[in-house]
Amino acid sequence: MKKPFLLIASSTRRSIEAKVKHPMGPSTLYDKVFEEAGGMIEVEAVSNAPRNIKQVKNSRAKLKRMSSDEDEFYSRHSWIVY
């Protein structure tokens, strides 16, 4: 049986996105965000913690993809004088 998709809180997503810019491993980053949400005992809602380590990896990949797209856009349009 497949697990239902759980949407995480936007504050949790922003926290992950802010931390993936730092040179930490995905599991370390996951642990930090999970503990900030309250850890195993004090977490108020499931949406306040990241789903899994893969979600952290996906956020880092998205950041890299976005930065490479911006670099490519800049290099293609750097000859334009405003």
Side-chain angles (χ1 to χ4, degrees), residues 18-36:
K19 286 178 178 44
V20 295
K21 297 174 185 176
H22 302 288
M24 286 186 265
S27 58
T28 304
L29 216 151
Y30 171 83
D31 290 341
K32 279 186 173 272
V33 175
F34 190 81
E35 288 302 316
E36 287 175 3

Side-chain angles (χ1 to χ4, degrees), residues 34-51:
F34 190 81
E35 288 302 316
E36 287 175 3
M40 192 67 110
I41 305 291
E42 296 178 16
V43 67
E44 292 179 16
V46 176
S47 65
N48 290 344
R51 281 189 296 276

Side-chain angles (χ1 to χ4, degrees), residues 60-77:
R60 180 167 282 154
K62 181 181 175 184
L63 178 68
K64 285 183 181 180
R65 198 170 49 246
M66 287 174 52
S67 66
S68 69
D69 289 346
E70 288 172 4
D71 292 344
E72 183 179 333
F73 178 79
Y74 179 75
S75 66
R76 288 184 180 192
H77 296 92

